[in-house]
Amino acid sequence: MVVEINRLPCADVDPWGAADWWLGSNVWLDARPARKLGTGADDALRSATRAETSEW
């Protein structure tokens, strides 16, 4: 899941930005994305990533 999500915010180009996304508060998830790993929230993580990357 992490590798899949990191492809969307271009973690290879901006690893600090990707780390900030995983560890920072996320409005779409009402939590830090890293906290959602392993909770069955894969679709929510994908949607939150797409919603935020579409704003960039």
Side-chain angles (χ1 to χ4, degrees):
M1 172 55 56
V2 173
V3 172
E4 176 187 345
I5 296 289
N6 279 350
R7 286 186 188 127
L8 294 173
C10 303
D12 59 332
V13 175
D14 183 13
W16 289 107
D20 182 57
W21 187 85
W22 281 106
L23 301 174
S25 180
N26 185 284
V27 157
W28 299 96
L29 299 170
D30 194 29
R32 287 181 284 156
R35 290 264 188 203
K36 296 293 187 177
L37 290 171
T39 66
D42 292 357
D43 288 338
L45 282 165
R46 285 183 194 100
S47 294
T49 305
R50 287 188 186 106
E52 288 197 8
T53 57
S54 70
E55 294 173 5
W56 296 344

